Amino acid sequence: MDYKEFKKQYAASGRDISRAVFLKNQEVMRIKREETAVTNLDKIFEAVFSITYNKGYQAMSMRDLSLKTGMSLGALYAYFPGKDELLAIMQTQARAMVKGVLEEFANVHKAPLAKLRAVIKAHIFLSELFRPWFYFTFMEARNLTPQGFEAVKSIEEHTQKILSDILVQGEEQGVFKPGNHELTACMIKAMQQEWYLKRWKYTKQKISVDQFTDYVLAMVEGFCLAG
Amino acid sequence: MDYKEFKKQYAASGRDISRAVFLKNQEVMRIKREETAVTNLDKIFEAVFSITYNKGYQAMSMRDLSLKTGMSLGALYAYFPGKDELLAIMQTQARAMVKGVLEEFANVHKAPLAKLRAVIKAHIFLSELFRPWFYFTFMEARNLTPQGFEAVKSIEEHTQKILSDILVQGEEQGVFKPGNHELTACMIKAMQQEWYLKRWKYTKQKISVDQFTDYVLAMVEGFCLAG
DNA sequence: GTCTATACACAGATAGAC
DNA sequence: GTCTATCTGTGTATAGAC
């Protein structure tokens, strides 16, 4: 499966995330009409990404956001209770989305090698599809409350465990070499993260998602495969 | 060479960086006595790291910094012209330090494999020795001016080239397999970065720098070595 | 060199008209 | 639902005494 197929199969867009945010935070929002809310949330998230990409969330003022979205300050506060809460809402939604998709893709295959490939690919492809969300989640994790930051660590450990479990299972079946599977999982995660953290580099070097993914898989397989 | 030996051989500390900062920015600082300046710069940098680790540079106020250093606001402004300039000074110094050390270690060995090992090790060990500097440089790069951000990209490409040059040379000598050496260099950098970006994970998992470094080397060699 | 006191801009947030 | 106008706290930075 390449990125194009993935995109077709997993037909989701930023608007779906916006809708999920609305449905989950309906009580706390003063907006009642779903379509209005989803459209404007989408506009807000896009604006947040565009403003914070170059200067971070703390440096973004509500007036920046108002200017970029074309909505007034008063209107913005009808969509979320405050600036900190907006950050928390976005982070929570992003985490839920990643967790859901990865588990879905891990359960498609049974054989360890096919499973490993599927999970690694799904993560990179997903980070390409929702690149701003991934970048934002990583870079702004520090600005969360301690509980929020714990949640970030927790999902990091969770996705690492998905990988290391596959490696352990594969070793038992004689497919993978023995090794420190936790550490291998860390390295895989490091390479995956590279894709959305340093996107400027790969744009410049004209390296596609598919090329990048194949290279990660080659390195991992070169290291893990028995025989 | 393990981390202990590296530390002994490369006998430098945060205070050396503070001294270098003083010598380079002497004209712009209102402080004239070297020892006073170095001691207080050291205190300032430590405070910056400790405050920004959990909330980022933008969220650190000058009052936070005053409280943490025990120096008054007025005193702080005798050491740097403004908050933005302090950030720029720290980033510039960190880049100069990394560049210097890596080139030093790349020139010790001639054989490609030994050279590759030395450079990879030196980078990870250096990031361990000056961990707060590395973490800070990465996380706060966005808050720089466009020129500052270009400088960050430039050093990233420079260190990548040191690695890919070694790989090309090794391929010519038949030591390394053919491959996309630029991409391999990117993967190596991703793994190195993992060490200082997610330090909490390795502290928790009780994995030492030496273990981590050996694992990176094993993965790289497994993928690159011919035969 | 370091302090205290203060200037002044801009932040997040809300009230109430439409 | 969205707007404008405004409140109030906090930010960076400086002046001038010691």
Side-chain angles (χ1 to χ4, degrees), chain B residues 193-206:
Chain B
Q193 232 147 31
E194 173 80 2
W195 179 251
Y196 58 87
L197 286 185
K198 310 241 193 74
R199 200 38 211 287
W200 59 270
K201 214 158 95 171
Y202 300 101
T203 305
K204 198 168 173 182
Q205 292 182 27
K206 294 199 183 26

Side-chain angles (χ1 to χ4, degrees), chain A residues 12 19 28 37-38 40 61 74 85 112 120 147 174 192 201 206-207:
Chain A
R19 175 156 281 120
V28 86
V38 173
N40 282 329
S61 72
E85 285 85 352
I120 292 177
Q147 300 97 301
Q192 291 174 323
K201 215 159 94 170
K206 295 200 184 23
I207 290 170

Side-chain angles (χ1 to χ4, degrees), chain A residues 167-181:
Chain A
L167 292 167
V168 169
Q169 196 197 353
E171 184 191 338
E172 283 166 3
Q173 298 184 17
V175 187
F176 297 140
K177 277 193 283 198
N180 185 337
H181 299 312

Side-chain angles (χ1 to χ4, degrees), chain A residues 92-106 123 126 134 154-155 158-159 162:
Chain A
T92 306
Q93 199 57 45
R95 282 198 299 272
M97 184 258 296
V98 173
K99 204 176 164 182
V101 176
L102 285 198
E103 272 160 10
E104 181 185 321
F105 275 82
H123 197 171
L126 195 64
F134 275 74
S154 160
I155 181 109
H158 177 78
T159 53
I162 293 179

